[in-house]
Amino acid sequence: MVEMKSEPYTITFGIIGAGRIGKLHADNLLSHVKGAKLKTVTDPFLDEEWAASRNIPVTGKDHRIMLDDPEIDAILIGSPSPEHAAQMIECARAGKHIFCEKPIALDPDIIRNALAEVEKSGVKLQVGFNRRFDPNFAAVQEQIASGALGEPHIIRITSRDPAPPPAEYVASSGGLFMDMTIHDFDMARFLCGSEVTEVHAYGAVLVDPEIGKAGDIDTAVISLKFANGALGIIENSRKAVYGYDQRVEVFGAKGTAMADNNTPTSMVVLNESGTIRDKPLYFFLERYKIAFVAEMQAFVDAVRNDEPTKVSGKDGLVPVLIALAAQESLKTGKPIKVDSL
Amino acid sequence: MVEMKSEPYTITFGIIGAGRIGKLHADNLLSHVKGAKLKTVTDPFLDEEWAASRNIPVTGKDHRIMLDDPEIDAILIGSPSPEHAAQMIECARAGKHIFCEKPIALDPDIIRNALAEVEKSGVKLQVGFNRRFDPNFAAVQEQIASGALGEPHIIRITSRDPAPPPAEYVASSGGLFMDMTIHDFDMARFLCGSEVTEVHAYGAVLVDPEIGKAGDIDTAVISLKFANGALGIIENSRKAVYGYDQRVEVFGAKGTAMADNNTPTSMVVLNESGTIRDKPLYFFLERYKIAFVAEMQAFVDAVRNDEPTKVSGKDGLVPVLIALAAQESLKTGKPIKVDSL
Amino acid sequence: MVEMKSEPYTITFGIIGAGRIGKLHADNLLSHVKGAKLKTVTDPFLDEEWAASRNIPVTGKDHRIMLDDPEIDAILIGSPSPEHAAQMIECARAGKHIFCEKPIALDPDIIRNALAEVEKSGVKLQVGFNRRFDPNFAAVQEQIASGALGEPHIIRITSRDPAPPPAEYVASSGGLFMDMTIHDFDMARFLCGSEVTEVHAYGAVLVDPEIGKAGDIDTAVISLKFANGALGIIENSRKAVYGYDQRVEVFGAKGTAMADNNTPTSMVVLNESGTIRDKPLYFFLERYKIAFVAEMQAFVDAVRNDEPTKVSGKDGLVPVLIALAAQESLKTGKPIKVDSL
Amino acid sequence: MVEMKSEPYTITFGIIGAGRIGKLHADNLLSHVKGAKLKTVTDPFLDEEWAASRNIPVTGKDHRIMLDDPEIDAILIGSPSPEHAAQMIECARAGKHIFCEKPIALDPDIIRNALAEVEKSGVKLQVGFNRRFDPNFAAVQEQIASGALGEPHIIRITSRDPAPPPAEYVASSGGLFMDMTIHDFDMARFLCGSEVTEVHAYGAVLVDPEIGKAGDIDTAVISLKFANGALGIIENSRKAVYGYDQRVEVFGAKGTAMADNNTPTSMVVLNESGTIRDKPLYFFLERYKIAFVAEMQAFVDAVRNDEPTKVSGKDGLVPVLIALAAQESLKTGKPIKVDSL
């Protein structure tokens, strides 16, 4: 955890969008994150009861009330994805630091345009790739970043959801690579410390035929080449009956580092059936609970200490490009270079 | 987690004593515990800066300001141990529900006297044996309580601190059995679901000769007999160089259930030296973080739903009796029956 | 372990080639394998001292002495790989059952020709893909074969050697895919219960530039498509500094089954550095010790009970075809269909 | 494994008693143990078929045929326990080195008398405490012996059988402490590197009332004091439904070392029920397979190299004394000093 420097000020937040993820961030800002306070929450369909229980000073339907509020230092964009880019531009122009949930947009040009505005304004931007702040994955990355494992040779990511989303969601989500694997593309870059240059993808519909009818896949294996020479593998499934399966491994010249799933308890039972432990934590709210706090703390610290954020605008763009390359590979049956896009 | 019944009211708390443990409970009441709010904190040496940062409505040096406050429903006693029993009586007489940190007192008669007042008043009392609420230990207990493991045959508790307390603390703490093992005596009763009837203790000074000079031991193995026929073992050390070692096992007719330590991450590194994982979490604040929240939630739920608390006044008394029996065994070299005290 | 049926006879063996692997099989036949005895061992450079110490009745330089010996029921071909196919034909024509070390040959036509002779003769043939008999991998395969995991969706194989072979070996070995990955191609088919239809390979030289100069790679990630719709991933390295890394996972509709490495001991040490266990067993002689016995027992049982062997001639051919497809993929940068070869 | 010195001779063995354990040792001598050969096996009820299948040169009913045979260097005593001491004396007088299964006798005076004869004769003697050669336990002991863990503070031994013996066996076996815990008493001394000075035992009949009727217990917790100041705990049960449970821990000033059970495979299955692994290996023949070979190799090496054996005559006597002290403690309800016997 970043230590706070001398005399940093307290960052006053506004939150755009108080759905599940917006509420989670609000609660974290209210109690777990140091150096931050929450002033305003807006949502066209605001849960008034929730807002009252949290003593949030200002609430409303329209996020523009916080753009002109000089007390607001930073805005968290937790609205539906299609609104992210436009709101990011508004926030940047209003001089508010920005924490934006992923994805900024599905179209790289829209992202590039928004990032240009952010850059022009000089505000800080952090994108919500929360998994980088998971203690397990962060520890693995540190093994590589510190040189303890030597040069990375193979990056391996296992990423399986506990249950597929509804078919109607699949259609609007941008598909498996854009909706689910995008986190793994970010993780691959983060762990390897190098850019993905080429992608080859195999996909299949093995979980739910409705997903296939909606034009998407539910199972995939994706091979990666990195600029530093390392190779990578990601494998995805929309349905692991035993829960959320989130593991990574970085194999390097001096050893290998693996992060396993977390479980609710450490209990081991031995009986006539075998040796039995818990299943992994069910889904991302449980698994990444600490990561959600840590990413917000990191953002607050970056703003207070005027340092670069840990997940930059570029980090918000590049995984989208990799996802597009993976989609193209699936369509053409050929490996695709990422910079060809 | 206990579900809240219909229309329960919000419990307003006062806290006596805002040292490390009082502050921890305050933070939990402010953000993690549902159905509770914190109004008042008193401490003769109150950390004013901390209190201000938490927006605590009423603060003061003298705990009696909360006894007469009709808005206060429940009082958390987190003052130095010698004050617990007298404050408990004051709270009971004032009609306030009580959460009291352990130990109530080191003298069974003082405890019995305080408990009698609590009983007379009808207020609810929960004693701070937080480990019962550790997810690992609670899961093991549930295995026995549910019958899944059959009748318990052997209870085994490994309990080692990361570093010994200062010698001056040892002198005033009541000694290893009263200060440290008392948690394990509570755990033994909790896991076995039966009372300890007899104790045999071996002790040694292997960690720090100063502890021996202060008249105490720093290493112990304690054997137990339970009323239901089961046998038990506790082993303690004041110094495990690898961190806080807190493991239990219940072996029964149909299997065995073990709870292992928790670690900061799940990372596994394989290199030329071996296969390496994290050490256990360093000490009780880290290891029992969830347990501290869960015990307070359980207390709030018991008060709101008018149900018995999960750690009763008797649960506060009996481990003291077992500790006294262990002390007697160490002194005489003989097993001691608990009801002989 | 297969139980012997009533009145099976004892199989008398001859062994062609008493290098490291031939001696290992000889010792297993002498003491661990039931229903077998060893009569003859030939090797142009026979270790006479070893043969004497083992009380082997007949020894010689020329393997043809066992072809005409009516007491010999079965011949184990453990000679250098280039001799395998021709000796297999000789054994088949002599009516001897054959256990042949892998690979039969590097050229599919040579293999097909040898297999045709075996088929014509009616003798039994088992190919030395020993890993199928590793208890860990066999248990995983049984999970899929029994239906316990449902349909397989993703097959994942991690296969890393502890140290690269000498550069001169690399040149003659047929390369990484033919020499090392060939075991993984066999394992993929075995675990999935379905044929590989398409292969995509990425390769790199990250371990030893000399291997690159010899025209080979030392690091690879290979993606697979199977006839039953499943997807697969294999990743290889010639150098894992922590020892032989041999893990598999089969992820299916009803769960996942993983086999981890074996270690010399189960010891766990906790000290100030962390939680430390053994490294994996060093290399294949240690890791597959039990598998080498079990494959020979399975062969003896198949011969005695007149049942099909567990690793057929086809099982000796197909991995070579997959390896050729992988080589072609690496060369062309495109996925290659296996039946295009 | 001890390396053989230059020009050691091959040790020729005779075996007295070819029951289960005698046959196991015979097979190990025939194939796994280096520097040894087996000439003679005697048993009043010899399994002739087995002997023929193993090509054992000389067989008979009376063990005295090997006493006069000048080719026999060493004799393995695997007869029923009551015959051990007398046969040991015969072997010693005949100048044969002796490997004697435990216990030498249940009566310390009989043991002392036999050991005196052995000492007088100058032959080597190793007692069959095979668990010292288990790779897990040997690795833990090495941690203490090497100083890596610092001074030992607490020795902990969990030792549970998968199923109780028949009640009639219990009667003749000498009881739980003499029959089962005796291995743990040996292990405690071995791990701690110090003698047990005092014992306190609690016992119960929780598994099988018939065992209680036969005058024995089936469940026990035993506390130990060692001469070097360390404390110890042993816990036993005659029935662990999940298999043979054999774990140890040595906690010392610089860390702790634990040995866990072994399992048939390393497979992990995750499904809707949880995370599932194998149960421990069923019983001592499976668990201590490697240990049985290693103890015999150590004996052969000691004889060939004229070095002290790894398990001396004293090591055969002392655990019997500790068992007697434990029996006395159970009877009197008091701790008992071992040298009081």
Side-chain angles (χ1 to χ4, degrees):
Chain A
M1 209 69 84
V2 173
E3 282 300 297
M4 287 180 291
K5 291 180 179 172
S6 60
E7 302 189 66
Y9 65 110
T10 295
I11 309 298
T12 301
F13 270 81
I15 294 181
I16 306 178
R20 188 169 57 173
I21 201 76
K23 286 175 173 172
L24 182 152
H25 284 306
D27 280 348
N28 287 343
L29 285 169
L30 286 167
S31 66
H32 299 75
V33 177
K34 289 173 190 163
K37 64 183 175 193
L38 177 59
K39 180 176 180 187
T40 306
V41 174
T42 63
D43 193 301
F45 308 97
L46 185 68
D47 178 345
E48 300 284 358
E49 192 180 353
W50 169 82
S53 76
R54 293 310 193 272
N55 263 328
I56 294 163
V58 181
T59 58
K61 292 182 185 308
D62 189 332
H63 67 275
R64 281 167 291 190
I65 61 174
M66 56 184 96
L67 296 177
D68 301 328
D69 183 343
E71 279 185 26
I72 300 283
D73 301 303
I75 293 178
L76 189 156
I77 302 177
S79 53
S81 302
E83 304 174 19
H84 287 180
Q87 289 168 351
M88 190 184 284
I89 294 170
E90 289 179 292
C91 293
R93 289 179 179 167
K96 308 302 188 192
H97 300 297
I98 303 165
F99 182 98
C100 183
E101 274 303 322
K102 57 116 287 213
I104 300 175
L106 302 185
D107 178 334
D109 287 335
I110 294 177
I111 301 173
R112 288 187 184 107
N113 182 46
L115 296 184
E117 290 281 343
V118 168
E119 189 152 0
K120 201 160 33 171
S121 72
V123 301
K124 296 203 181 289
L125 166 65
Q126 184 170 323
V127 179
F129 281 121
N130 57 293
R131 294 186 194 176
R132 293 185 176 209
F133 299 89
D134 175 72
N136 302 339
F137 297 156
V140 170
Q141 192 267 348
E142 175 61 18
Q143 288 287 316
I144 278 292
S146 70
L149 291 182
E151 286 297 309
H153 290 184
I154 300 173
I155 310 293
R156 192 169 64 69
I157 298 175
T158 295
S159 176
R160 302 170 188 154
D161 280 358
E168 60 269 24
Y169 174 82
V170 165
S172 71
S173 70
L176 184 87
F177 293 147
M178 198 62 87
D179 176 54
M180 180 177 167
T181 323
I182 198 160
H183 276 291
D184 307 313
F185 293 136
D186 176 64
M187 185 53 56
R189 297 174 65 233
F190 174 64
L191 293 175
C192 195
S194 179
E195 292 297 345
V196 173
T197 56
E198 192 179 307
V199 184
H200 173 266
Y202 278 142
V205 180
L206 300 173
V207 169
D208 182 357
E210 292 301 314
I211 290 175
K213 286 180 199 162
D216 200 9
I217 54 173
D218 53 36
T219 304
V221 301
I222 303 140
S223 307
L224 307 172
K225 284 181 103 161
F226 293 90
N228 64 359
L231 303 177
I233 276 174
I234 297 168
E235 44 112 337
N236 292 140
S237 170
R238 283 286 195 185
K239 186 175 181 186
V241 296
Y242 51 86
Y244 198 39
D245 195 348
Q246 297 278 300
R247 290 172 281 156
V248 308
E249 176 171 5
V250 180
F251 170 76
K254 295 183 184 168
T256 199
M258 297 174 275
D260 204 348
N261 291 305
N262 292 338
T263 53
T265 78
S266 70
M267 182 172 64
V268 184
V269 173
L270 276 81
N271 60 28
E272 286 186 328
S273 310
T275 301
I276 302 155
R277 291 173 176 270
D278 279 350
K279 292 184 285 187
L281 291 168
Y282 181 68
F283 207 1
F284 69 97
L285 291 178
E286 296 84 11
R287 166 60 188 265
Y288 294 120
K289 195 171 189 171
I290 295 175
F292 281 117
V293 177
E295 70 171 354
M296 201 55 57
Q297 188 66 60
F299 175 61
V300 167
D301 292 342
V303 171
R304 294 172 91 195
N305 301 325
D306 194 16
E307 291 171 344
T309 64
K310 294 276 178 74
V311 192
S312 69
K314 184 187 170 190
D315 293 331
L317 170 63
V318 173
V320 171
L321 299 178
I322 305 175
L324 289 171
Q327 288 175 347
E328 183 72 7
S329 174
L330 193 66
K331 209 170 83 183
T332 61
K334 292 177 190 163
I336 301 293
K337 290 197 191 309
V338 176
D339 66 7
S340 69
L341 296 168
Chain B
M1 210 67 85
V2 173
E3 284 300 296
M4 287 180 290
K5 292 180 180 172
S6 60
E7 303 189 65
Y9 66 109
T10 295
I11 309 299
T12 302
F13 270 81
I15 294 181
I16 306 177
R20 187 170 56 174
I21 201 76
K23 284 176 175 172
L24 181 152
H25 284 306
D27 280 347
N28 287 343
L29 285 169
L30 286 167
S31 66
H32 298 75
V33 177
K34 289 173 190 163
K37 63 184 177 193
L38 177 59
K39 180 176 178 187
T40 306
V41 174
T42 64
D43 193 300
F45 309 98
L46 186 68
D47 178 345
E48 301 284 357
E49 192 179 355
W50 169 82
S53 76
R54 295 308 193 271
N55 264 328
I56 295 162
V58 180
T59 59
K61 291 183 184 309
D62 190 333
H63 67 275
R64 281 168 292 190
I65 60 173
M66 55 184 96
L67 297 177
D68 301 328
D69 183 343
E71 278 185 24
I72 300 282
D73 301 303
I75 293 177
L76 189 154
I77 302 176
S79 52
S81 302
E83 305 173 19
H84 288 180
Q87 290 168 350
M88 191 185 284
I89 293 170
E90 290 179 291
C91 292
R93 289 180 179 166
K96 308 301 189 193
H97 301 296
I98 303 163
F99 182 99
C100 183
E101 274 304 321
K102 57 116 285 214
I104 301 174
L106 301 185
D107 178 334
D109 287 335
I110 294 177
I111 300 173
R112 287 187 184 106
N113 181 46
L115 295 184
E117 289 282 344
V118 168
E119 188 151 3
K120 201 160 33 170
S121 74
V123 301
K124 296 204 181 289
L125 167 65
Q126 184 171 321
V127 179
F129 281 122
N130 57 293
R131 294 186 194 175
R132 293 184 176 210
F133 300 89
D134 174 71
N136 301 340
F137 297 157
V140 169
Q141 190 266 350
E142 174 62 17
Q143 288 286 316
I144 278 293
S146 69
L149 290 183
E151 287 297 308
H153 290 183
I154 300 172
I155 311 293
R156 191 168 65 68
I157 297 175
T158 295
S159 176
R160 303 170 187 154
D161 280 358
E168 60 269 25
Y169 173 82
V170 164
S172 70
S173 71
L176 185 86
F177 294 147
M178 199 61 88
D179 176 53
M180 179 177 166
T181 324
I182 198 161
H183 277 290
D184 307 313
F185 293 136
D186 175 64
M187 185 54 55
R189 298 174 65 233
F190 173 63
L191 292 176
C192 196
S194 179
E195 292 297 346
V196 172
T197 57
E198 193 178 307
V199 185
H200 173 267
Y202 277 142
V205 180
L206 301 173
V207 169
D208 182 358
E210 292 301 314
I211 291 175
K213 285 179 197 161
D216 200 9
I217 54 173
D218 53 36
T219 306
V221 301
I222 304 140
S223 306
L224 308 171
K225 285 181 104 162
F226 293 90
N228 65 358
L231 303 177
I233 275 174
I234 296 168
E235 44 112 337
N236 291 141
S237 171
R238 284 286 196 185
K239 186 175 182 185
V241 295
Y242 50 87
Y244 198 38
D245 196 347
Q246 297 278 299
R247 289 172 283 156
V248 308
E249 176 172 5
V250 180
F251 170 75
K254 296 183 184 169
T256 199
M258 297 174 275
D260 205 348
N261 290 306
N262 293 338
T263 53
T265 78
S266 70
M267 183 171 64
V268 185
V269 173
L270 277 81
N271 60 29
E272 285 185 328
S273 310
T275 301
I276 302 154
R277 291 174 175 270
D278 278 350
K279 292 185 285 187
L281 290 168
Y282 181 68
F283 207 1
F284 68 97
L285 291 178
E286 295 84 12
R287 166 59 188 266
Y288 294 121
K289 195 171 191 172
I290 295 175
F292 282 116
V293 177
E295 71 172 352
M296 201 54 58
Q297 187 66 60
F299 175 60
V300 167
D301 292 341
V303 172
R304 295 172 90 195
N305 302 325
D306 194 15
E307 290 171 345
T309 64
K310 294 276 179 75
V311 193
S312 70
K314 183 187 171 191
D315 293 330
L317 171 63
V318 173
V320 172
L321 299 178
I322 305 174
L324 289 170
Q327 288 176 346
E328 183 72 7
S329 175
L330 193 66
K331 210 170 82 184
T332 62
K334 291 177 190 164
I336 301 294
K337 292 198 191 307
V338 176
D339 66 6
S340 70
L341 296 168
Chain C
M1 209 67 85
V2 174
E3 282 300 296
M4 287 181 291
K5 293 179 180 173
S6 60
E7 302 190 67
Y9 65 109
T10 294
I11 309 298
T12 301
F13 270 81
I15 293 181
I16 305 177
R20 188 171 57 172
I21 201 75
K23 284 176 173 172
L24 181 152
H25 284 306
D27 280 348
N28 287 344
L29 285 169
L30 286 166
S31 66
H32 298 75
V33 178
K34 289 172 189 163
K37 64 184 175 192
L38 177 58
K39 180 176 179 187
T40 306
V41 174
T42 64
D43 192 302
F45 309 97
L46 186 69
D47 178 344
E48 300 284 357
E49 193 181 353
W50 169 83
S53 77
R54 294 311 193 271
N55 262 329
I56 294 162
V58 180
T59 59
K61 292 183 184 309
D62 189 333
H63 67 275
R64 281 167 292 191
I65 61 173
M66 56 184 94
L67 297 177
D68 300 329
D69 182 343
E71 279 185 25
I72 300 284
D73 301 304
I75 292 177
L76 189 156
I77 302 176
S79 52
S81 300
E83 305 174 17
H84 288 180
Q87 288 169 350
M88 190 186 284
I89 293 171
E90 289 180 292
C91 292
R93 289 180 179 166
K96 309 302 189 192
H97 300 297
I98 303 163
F99 182 99
C100 183
E101 274 304 322
K102 59 116 287 215
I104 301 174
L106 302 186
D107 177 335
D109 287 335
I110 294 176
I111 300 173
R112 288 187 183 107
N113 182 45
L115 295 184
E117 290 280 343
V118 168
E119 188 152 1
K120 201 160 33 170
S121 74
V123 301
K124 295 202 182 293
L125 167 65
Q126 185 171 320
V127 179
F129 280 121
N130 56 293
R131 294 185 194 176
R132 293 184 176 210
F133 300 90
D134 175 72
N136 302 339
F137 297 158
V140 170
Q141 190 266 347
E142 174 62 18
Q143 287 286 318
I144 278 291
S146 71
L149 290 184
E151 288 297 310
H153 289 184
I154 299 173
I155 310 294
R156 192 168 64 70
I157 297 174
T158 295
S159 176
R160 303 171 188 154
D161 280 358
E168 60 269 23
Y169 174 81
V170 164
S172 70
S173 70
L176 184 86
F177 294 148
M178 198 61 88
D179 177 54
M180 180 177 167
T181 323
I182 198 160
H183 276 290
D184 307 312
F185 293 136
D186 176 62
M187 185 53 57
R189 297 174 65 232
F190 173 63
L191 292 175
C192 196
S194 179
E195 291 298 345
V196 173
T197 57
E198 193 179 305
V199 185
H200 173 266
Y202 277 142
V205 180
L206 300 172
V207 169
D208 182 357
E210 292 302 312
I211 291 175
K213 286 180 196 160
D216 200 8
I217 54 173
D218 53 35
T219 305
V221 300
I222 304 140
S223 306
L224 307 172
K225 285 181 103 162
F226 292 90
N228 64 0
L231 303 177
I233 275 174
I234 296 168
E235 44 112 339
N236 292 140
S237 170
R238 282 288 196 185
K239 185 173 182 187
V241 295
Y242 50 87
Y244 198 39
D245 194 347
Q246 297 277 300
R247 291 173 281 156
V248 308
E249 175 172 6
V250 180
F251 170 75
K254 296 183 184 168
T256 199
M258 297 174 275
D260 204 348
N261 290 306
N262 292 337
T263 52
T265 78
S266 70
M267 182 171 64
V268 184
V269 172
L270 276 81
N271 60 29
E272 286 186 329
S273 310
T275 301
I276 302 154
R277 292 173 175 270
D278 279 350
K279 291 184 286 187
L281 292 167
Y282 182 67
F283 208 2
F284 70 96
L285 291 178
E286 295 84 10
R287 164 63 188 263
Y288 294 120
K289 196 172 189 171
I290 296 176
F292 281 117
V293 176
E295 69 171 354
M296 201 55 57
Q297 188 66 60
F299 175 60
V300 166
D301 292 342
V303 171
R304 294 171 92 195
N305 301 325
D306 193 16
E307 290 172 343
T309 64
K310 294 275 179 76
V311 193
S312 69
K314 183 187 171 190
D315 294 329
L317 170 63
V318 173
V320 172
L321 299 178
I322 304 174
L324 290 172
Q327 289 176 346
E328 183 72 7
S329 174
L330 193 65
K331 212 170 80 184
T332 62
K334 292 177 189 163
I336 301 293
K337 291 198 190 306
V338 176
D339 66 6
S340 70
L341 297 167
Chain D
M1 210 69 83
V2 173
E3 282 301 296
M4 286 181 291
K5 292 179 179 172
S6 59
E7 303 191 64
Y9 64 110
T10 294
I11 309 298
T12 302
F13 270 81
I15 294 180
I16 306 177
R20 189 170 55 174
I21 202 74
K23 284 175 174 173
L24 182 152
H25 284 306
D27 281 347
N28 286 343
L29 285 169
L30 286 166
S31 66
H32 299 74
V33 177
K34 289 172 189 163
K37 63 184 176 192
L38 177 58
K39 180 177 179 186
T40 306
V41 174
T42 63
D43 192 301
F45 309 98
L46 186 69
D47 178 346
E48 300 284 358
E49 193 181 354
W50 169 82
S53 77
R54 294 310 193 272
N55 262 329
I56 295 162
V58 180
T59 59
K61 292 184 184 308
D62 190 333
H63 67 276
R64 281 168 291 190
I65 61 174
M66 55 184 96
L67 296 177
D68 301 328
D69 182 344
E71 279 184 25
I72 300 283
D73 301 303
I75 293 177
L76 189 155
I77 302 177
S79 53
S81 300
E83 304 174 19
H84 288 179
Q87 288 168 351
M88 190 185 284
I89 294 170
E90 289 179 291
C91 293
R93 289 178 179 167
K96 308 302 188 192
H97 301 297
I98 303 164
F99 183 99
C100 183
E101 274 304 321
K102 57 115 286 211
I104 301 173
L106 302 185
D107 178 334
D109 287 335
I110 293 177
I111 300 173
R112 288 186 183 105
N113 182 45
L115 295 184
E117 290 281 343
V118 168
E119 189 152 2
K120 201 161 30 172
S121 74
V123 301
K124 296 202 181 291
L125 166 66
Q126 185 171 319
V127 179
F129 280 120
N130 56 293
R131 294 185 195 177
R132 293 184 177 211
F133 300 89
D134 175 72
N136 302 339
F137 298 157
V140 170
Q141 190 267 348
E142 174 62 19
Q143 287 287 317
I144 278 292
S146 70
L149 291 183
E151 286 298 308
H153 290 184
I154 300 173
I155 311 292
R156 192 168 64 69
I157 298 174
T158 295
S159 177
R160 304 171 187 153
D161 280 358
E168 60 269 23
Y169 173 82
V170 165
S172 71
S173 70
L176 184 86
F177 294 147
M178 199 60 89
D179 176 53
M180 180 176 165
T181 324
I182 198 160
H183 276 291
D184 307 313
F185 294 136
D186 175 64
M187 185 54 56
R189 299 173 65 234
F190 173 64
L191 292 176
C192 196
S194 178
E195 292 297 346
V196 173
T197 57
E198 193 179 306
V199 185
H200 173 266
Y202 277 141
V205 180
L206 300 173
V207 169
D208 182 357
E210 291 302 313
I211 291 174
K213 285 181 197 161
D216 200 9
I217 55 173
D218 53 36
T219 305
V221 299
I222 304 139
S223 306
L224 308 171
K225 284 181 104 161
F226 292 90
N228 64 0
L231 304 177
I233 275 174
I234 297 168
E235 43 111 341
N236 292 140
S237 171
R238 283 287 197 185
K239 186 174 181 186
V241 296
Y242 50 87
Y244 198 40
D245 195 348
Q246 296 278 299
R247 289 172 283 156
V248 308
E249 176 172 5
V250 180
F251 171 76
K254 295 183 185 168
T256 198
M258 297 175 274
D260 204 348
N261 290 305
N262 292 337
T263 52
T265 78
S266 70
M267 182 171 64
V268 184
V269 173
L270 276 81
N271 60 29
E272 286 185 328
S273 310
T275 301
I276 302 154
R277 290 174 176 270
D278 279 350
K279 291 185 286 188
L281 291 167
Y282 182 68
F283 208 2
F284 69 96
L285 292 178
E286 294 85 10
R287 165 62 188 263
Y288 294 120
K289 195 171 189 171
I290 295 176
F292 281 117
V293 176
E295 70 171 354
M296 201 55 56
Q297 187 67 60
F299 175 61
V300 167
D301 292 341
V303 172
R304 294 172 90 194
N305 301 325
D306 193 16
E307 290 171 343
T309 64
K310 295 274 178 77
V311 193
S312 70
K314 183 187 171 190
D315 293 329
L317 170 64
V318 173
V320 171
L321 299 177
I322 304 174
L324 289 170
Q327 288 175 347
E328 183 71 8
S329 174
L330 192 66
K331 212 170 82 184
T332 63
K334 292 176 189 164
I336 300 294
K337 292 199 190 307
V338 176
D339 66 6
S340 70
L341 296 168

